[in-house]
Amino acid sequence: MRQRKSVEWTRLDNASKIFPATCGNKDTKVFRLACELYEAVDAEILQEALNITMDYFPFYKSILRKGVFWYYFQTSDLHPVVERESDPVCAPIYLDDRKNLLFRVSYYHSRINVEIFHALSDGTGALWFMKTLVYHYIRLRHKEAFADQIPEFKPNASISEKMDDSFGRYFEGRDLDILKLMDNPNKVKLVRTYHVRGTRLDENRVKVIEGSMSVKAALGLAHKYNVTLTVFIAALFIYALHKERPVRTKNDPVVLSVPINLRNFFESETTRNFFSTMNIGYAFGQESSDFQDVIQGVSGDFQKELTAESLNQRLNQLMSIEKNLLTRIIPLPFKDYSLRFASKIADRGITAAVTNIGQILLPEEFKRYIRQFSLCSSARMPHISICSYNDRLSVSFSSPFQETEIQRTFFEFLSEKGIDIEITSNL
C-alpha cells in the first residue's frame, strides 16, 4: 500500500509577494553570492557540502505555486545538483510553468556561485546559506588540515527560527484604513527623477563590473569625510551618475533605493525576506554639486530614515495593506496586475540602487583558502552591491546597458584618492 506524501504549504512573507508578479526577462529578480577560493573547486565535494547544507535549510526545497488569491511555497522532493556555470549571470530561475527549486549552485574554476530568486530569501538570509555551504566545502576539501580540530561554526538559528515570517511576527495588528493609507498626507511625493538611458545588452544580459580593494583603505577614505562606508559609496554613486548624465537632465534629482536589513532593528533569525527600502537622493538643480556637499546631503538622509520608529511605522503600513479584507479577496491575476503597475510607478522615483550586506565572517582558519566574496543582482537599472571579507572589499556594478562611463567615473575617483583597485567583468 502506497503512503501518501505529506505536502506542506507556506505563505509568502510581505516582501516576497511582489517578486513573482514583477519578474521577467528584463529583471529576473535573481541575485548572486559568489565565493572565490585560492584553488579550483572540486565539484563532487561541493555536491557533498550542498547535501549537508540542505539539512540545515529545508525551506530551500520549496517550489513556488499559484493559488486563487496568493502565491505560496510548497515542499518538494527535488534535490539541488551542482553544475558547472554555463548560464548568464542571474539568469531566470522562476518560470510559472515549471516546478523547480528557487535557487541554483554552480562553480567556475575557483568560484562557487549561489543564485537565488528573491521571493525565497533576501541577501542576509542567502548569506547564511552560502556561509554554511562554504564552511562544509572547505571542511571536507581539507580534511587533513583539520584532522586534529574542526573549526567551530554554529548555525545562526534553529530551523523554525530560519523559517519565521518576521513581518507577521512584528505586525502590531492595527487594522489601518487602506484608503487613509493611500491618502496619507505624509506619503512621499513622487517627483521626476533622473533615469539612466543606454543601449541594452543582447538577450537582456546583465553587465557586471566588479572592483576589489582593501577594506581598510576604503574605510579610511570614508572616515576622512566622517561618514560610514555605505554612505560614502552611495554618495560617490550619486556623484558619478550626475557627472555622466546629459546636461538637459541636470535639474532632475538623483535618487537611490537602499534596502534596509530589518534584523538590525527587530530581533529575528529568519533566512526569508525581512527587509524594507528607503529612498535617498540629492537635488543637484537646487544644491551644490561639490562632492563634500553631496556626502553631507546623503548622510542626512540616512540619519533621517534609519530610525526604529520610522521603520516600525513602515512595516505596519505594508502589513495593513496585505491584511486588509479588500486586498485579500482580489483574485491573484488582478493582484499581479496591480503590483506590476505599482512597481512601475515606484520606479519613476528611482534612478539606481545600492545594497550593502556588510562584513562576512567565517572561522579564522579558512582565510588561507578564501580569497573574497562578492554580490551582484539582476538589474532593470544600475545597481551597486557591496560586501567584504577579511581585507577584501567587493563593489559590484550590475547594469542592463552597454555603456560604462558611470562605472569608470566611480572607480577613477577612488583610484585618484590612492586606492588600488582590481577590476574584473563578465563581458
Side-chain angles (χ1 to χ4, degrees):
M1 181 177 175
R2 296 179 59 185
Q3 288 186 328
R4 297 185 63 181
K5 289 187 295 185
S6 172
V7 176
E8 295 180 6
W9 299 343
T10 305
R11 292 178 179 175
L12 272 66
D13 57 68
N14 183 273
S16 298
K17 288 183 166 58
I18 195 164
F19 297 117
T22 57
C23 70
N25 289 331
K26 288 186 177 179
D27 185 6
T28 61
K29 305 297 182 188
V30 172
F31 62 92
R32 167 186 286 199
L33 275 162
C35 174
E36 185 179 344
L37 307 174
Y38 284 111
E39 59 191 355
V41 174
D42 184 308
E44 290 187 7
I45 295 177
L46 182 59
Q47 181 65 57
E48 189 178 351
L50 178 58
N51 295 341
I52 296 170
T53 301
M54 292 305 296
D55 291 337
Y56 296 92
F57 295 84
F59 184 62
Y60 274 51
K61 282 192 174 182
S62 301
I63 59 176
L64 193 57
R65 303 298 304 274
K66 281 184 175 179
V68 176
F69 297 106
W70 294 108
Y71 292 89
Y72 61 92
F73 293 114
Q74 179 180 306
T75 57
S76 79
D77 294 329
L78 298 174
H79 295 283
V81 178
V82 168
E83 297 178 348
R84 189 173 189 275
E85 182 179 359
S86 57
D87 292 327
V89 175
C90 298
I93 289 180
Y94 171 66
L95 300 170
D96 62 6
D97 59 346
R98 286 172 50 186
K99 296 179 181 178
N100 59 297
L101 297 177
L102 301 172
F103 75 102
R104 64 169 74 94
V105 176
S106 64
Y107 66 96
Y108 187 76
H109 293 311
S110 60
R111 191 179 64 234
I112 299 171
N113 308 310
V114 174
E115 292 187 325
I116 293 186
F117 182 53
H118 217 323
L120 185 67
S121 179
D122 59 16
T124 301
L127 178 58
W128 291 346
F129 179 88
M130 180 65 154
K131 287 166 61 177
T132 307
L133 175 66
V134 170
Y135 169 81
H136 288 294
Y137 175 80
I138 292 180
R139 179 182 65 79
L140 293 167
R141 180 72 177 78
H142 297 280
K143 286 180 180 176
E144 301 79 11
F146 304 119
D148 295 333
Q149 185 175 7
I150 299 174
E152 189 175 23
F153 181 74
K154 294 181 179 178
N156 290 74
S158 66
I159 289 174
S160 61
E161 288 173 323
K162 289 173 187 168
M163 290 187 62
D164 180 52
D165 179 357
S166 296
F167 285 101
R169 185 149 65 96
Y170 286 104
F171 175 48
E172 295 174 347
R174 287 179 288 160
D175 191 14
L176 303 180
D177 188 323
I178 190 169
L179 296 178
K180 286 184 178 178
L181 282 176
M182 295 172 69
D183 195 32
N184 182 357
N186 295 321
K187 67 185 177 183
V188 177
K189 293 182 179 178
L190 291 177
V191 296
R192 177 190 174 95
T193 57
Y194 168 55
H195 282 188
V196 179
R197 308 293 182 192
T199 308
R200 284 194 169 270
L201 294 161
D202 294 340
E203 301 172 343
N204 294 313
R205 295 193 178 208
V206 178
K207 181 191 287 289
V208 180
I209 296 179
E210 183 179 298
S212 301
M213 62 201 83
S214 162
V215 174
K216 292 177 183 174
L219 266 178
L221 184 55
H223 290 168
K224 284 184 180 177
Y225 291 94
N226 294 316
V227 293
T228 65
L229 184 60
T230 304
V231 171
F232 176 78
I233 294 291
L236 180 53
F237 192 15
I238 288 174
Y239 184 73
L241 286 160
H242 173 66
K243 293 280 283 185
E244 297 302 329
R245 67 172 163 176
V247 173
R248 64 180 181 277
T249 69
K250 65 180 182 181
N251 291 326
D252 297 340
V254 178
V255 177
L256 300 184
S257 174
V258 183
I260 307 163
N261 180 9
L262 293 177
R263 300 170 186 81
N264 294 334
F265 300 87
F266 302 91
E267 187 176 344
S268 172
E269 301 292 344
T270 186
T271 57
R272 299 172 64 184
N273 281 291
F274 193 44
F275 73 98
S276 183
T277 59
M278 63 179 181
N279 288 352
I280 59 165
Y282 193 78
F284 286 93
Q286 304 168 19
E287 308 287 346
S288 157
S289 58
D290 183 83
F291 182 60
Q292 179 71 52
D293 293 326
V294 176
I295 278 203
Q296 293 307 314
V298 170
S299 179
D301 276 1
F302 268 84
Q303 291 174 17
K304 184 172 63 179
E305 296 291 337
L306 288 179
T307 65
E309 182 182 1
S310 172
L311 293 171
N312 191 48
Q313 182 180 12
R314 174 74 173 157
L315 185 150
N316 277 286
Q317 285 182 348
L318 291 172
M319 287 297 296
S320 293
I321 294 173
E322 177 189 327
K323 297 290 185 184
N324 184 272
L325 178 61
L326 178 64
T327 307
R328 284 186 290 170
I329 62 175
I330 296 175
L332 184 61
F334 294 101
K335 283 193 180 81
D336 281 350
Y337 176 81
S338 301
L339 287 169
R340 283 193 287 269
F341 180 73
S343 177
K344 286 184 179 179
I345 295 295
D347 279 356
R348 291 181 184 177
I350 300 170
T351 306
V354 61
T355 302
N356 185 0
I357 60 169
Q359 185 182 21
I360 297 172
L361 299 174
L362 278 168
E364 285 285 311
E365 297 89 332
F366 286 6
K367 286 183 179 177
R368 55 182 157 158
Y369 305 113
I370 301 172
R371 186 165 186 263
Q372 68 172 27
F373 283 85
S374 60
L375 169 72
C376 67
S377 71
S378 63
R380 63 187 183 281
M381 59 183 71
H383 190 158
I384 282 182
S385 304
I386 312 164
C387 67
S388 65
Y389 173 74
N390 202 11
D391 191 37
R392 295 277 291 187
L393 173 67
S394 167
V395 180
S396 299
F397 262 97
S398 305
S399 172
F401 306 120
Q402 293 181 9
E403 293 79 5
T404 58
E405 286 81 3
I406 298 168
Q407 294 92 324
R408 175 178 51 76
T409 300
F410 180 93
F411 287 120
E412 276 186 356
F413 182 98
L414 293 173
S415 180
E416 288 169 1
K417 296 292 182 182
I419 295 181
D420 293 327
I421 307 171
E422 176 185 306
I423 301 288
T424 56
S425 173
N426 66 327
L427 295 174

